[in-house]
Amino acid sequence: MSGKKDIRMIDIIERIGKTSINATRSFRDTLSFAFTIILKMFSKNSYSSATRMVLINQIYFTSVQILPLFIGISIILGSLLIGIVFQIIKTLGLAEYLGRILMGLVVTELSPFVTVLLIALRSSSAINAEIAVMKVNKELNTLDKFNIDVIDYLFLPRVINGVISVVLLSALFSILTLTSGLLFSKLMFGMSLDTYSNVLLNSANFYDIVISLVKCCTFGFFITLIPIRFGLHATNDLTSIPIAVLNGMVDVFIAIVLIEVLSLILSFI
Amino acid sequence: MDKELKDFAAKNKQNLGLVSLDVPLISNLNVWVNIALIKQYHQNLPDDKAELLVLQYLRVYGLEHIANKQTSALTNKERFFAMLIRAAMVMDSIIVIDRPFKIIPDVPDDRFIYNALNIIYDSFKECHIFDYTWFKDRYRMIYVEKG
């Protein structure tokens, strides 16, 4: 009896060990791939007319095509959240902290998080599937045979696009939400445009903006890098595409949560 | 044959312009971007000039209309021409056609390939065709070196 229990215990420990080793290896590989991409990003030789064309197309697909949906969601979600926040501020009598709460909540936390979720849902999954399909169709082999570096031509523009798109769309979300805050501030606190702008400007903290910017860049970098890496895991079988997308998207969400937690810890230090 | 092709490709990697089903056109790019990509990447040719160059090549085959088509919409012959022009975009190109009758199965003999190559003969340095020995009889115009 005790022998069987021991064996089961050893099995469980082995499984935990294997999972931990795999997770650590995956994390190490992601960081190593990230390092390669960063090195390429700062190399002049990585940029050609073809790379620029891909970058422009990617920015169009990620940041421009999504605009109507993004603006709609930003207005609805932003107004809703601002409404709730203003209600709480009024109930608790925290009107003097209005600007600080808005800047801290909307600019530093809410905007990057909502933006990254929307882009991850739409573009990360598309990138993951695209790279996996290219792998299955031997299109990556095509690039190799014509001496085209896949990192320069395929990966780099997508990662740069991720960074640019998250930063720009996050800024747009902040602007739209803070603008809807103007309406609520007038309705609930009778604030004028001048007073509202002054409250916001006085509460704007350079450190908050830097953290927000760094967070957006990190989000944008990893939500495009991870799908690319997992897309490359596809084999020659069509059935490997959904598996690659599924694994990639799970890791994207883990990365989003990790970055969010890390940025929160950083902002409290 | 595969080994011979691999060895040849490895020896001429820098100038290789491969026409093969194993080196397909990229499915999320249209025809002209697929072809222009080589010059844009290796010679940093601006996209407008690259597009004009590709259109010139397509025009000599009477295929200007396929420039903006997606690769999935191409016929076998159109796909072959697109792959051939892409191969010719490589600088000092050594074009290698791998099992051409697999790409254009509806063509009876090598006259079609010969004519296609003849039209752009000044755009490549050499051309080599690799095929199975049992297709030897289908080659009448092109010099057959082995089997």
Side-chain angles (χ1 to χ4, degrees), chain A residues 45-53 130 133-134 137-139 141-150 152-153 158, chain B residues 13-18 22-29 32-33 37-38 40-42 44-47 86-87 90:
Chain A
N45 296 333
S46 303
Y47 301 93
S48 65
S49 155
T51 311
R52 282 193 294 274
M53 200 163 118
E130 187 185 23
V133 169
M134 287 185 84
N137 284 346
K138 297 179 185 166
E139 290 168 18
N141 182 41
T142 298
L143 296 174
D144 177 54
K145 286 284 182 274
F146 282 96
N147 301 313
I148 293 171
D149 188 332
V150 282
D152 291 349
Y153 177 68
R158 280 162 178 77
Chain B
K13 192 166 173 22
Q14 283 311 309
N15 306 92
L16 190 73
L18 200 52
D22 290 335
V23 184
L25 296 168
I26 294 168
S27 54
N28 59 1
L29 303 177
W32 85 259
V33 182
L37 162 66
I38 315 296
Q40 282 184 285
Y41 183 82
H42 289 294
N44 203 14
L45 194 70
D47 48 356
R86 181 181 64 177
V90 176

Side-chain angles (χ1 to χ4, degrees), chain A residues 102-167:
Chain A
L102 277 186
M103 291 305 283
L105 184 77
V106 175
V107 178
T108 323
E109 299 303 327
L110 208 61
S111 301
F113 193 66
V114 173
T115 308
V116 81
L117 280 183
L118 275 173
I119 295 184
L121 278 172
R122 193 173 175 272
S123 299
S124 300
S125 48
I127 291 173
N128 205 328
E130 187 185 23
I131 301 295
V133 169
M134 287 185 84
K135 179 91 187 286
V136 173
N137 284 346
K138 297 179 185 166
E139 290 168 18
L140 298 180
N141 182 41
T142 298
L143 296 174
D144 177 54
K145 286 284 182 274
F146 282 96
N147 301 313
I148 293 171
D149 188 332
V150 282
I151 296 183
D152 291 349
Y153 177 68
L154 277 184
F155 306 160
L156 196 57
R158 280 162 178 77
V159 173
I160 294 175
N161 159 59
V163 173
I164 294 174
S165 296
V166 175
V167 170

Side-chain angles (χ1 to χ4, degrees), chain B residues 81-125:
Chain B
F81 282 127
M83 283 176 165
L84 186 64
I85 299 171
R86 181 181 64 177
M89 289 289 130
V90 176
M91 207 182 233
D92 297 326
S93 179
I94 297 174
I95 294 181
V96 170
I97 309 179
D98 171 28
R99 288 161 290 181
F101 296 111
K102 236 177 125 181
I103 310 170
I104 31 173
D106 41 343
V107 168
D109 55 41
D110 68 341
R111 265 177 299 183
F112 176 82
I113 305 165
Y114 180 80
N115 290 336
L117 287 169
N118 225 3
I119 292 174
I120 54 161
Y121 74 95
D122 53 351
S123 304
F124 58 90
K125 215 164 92 180

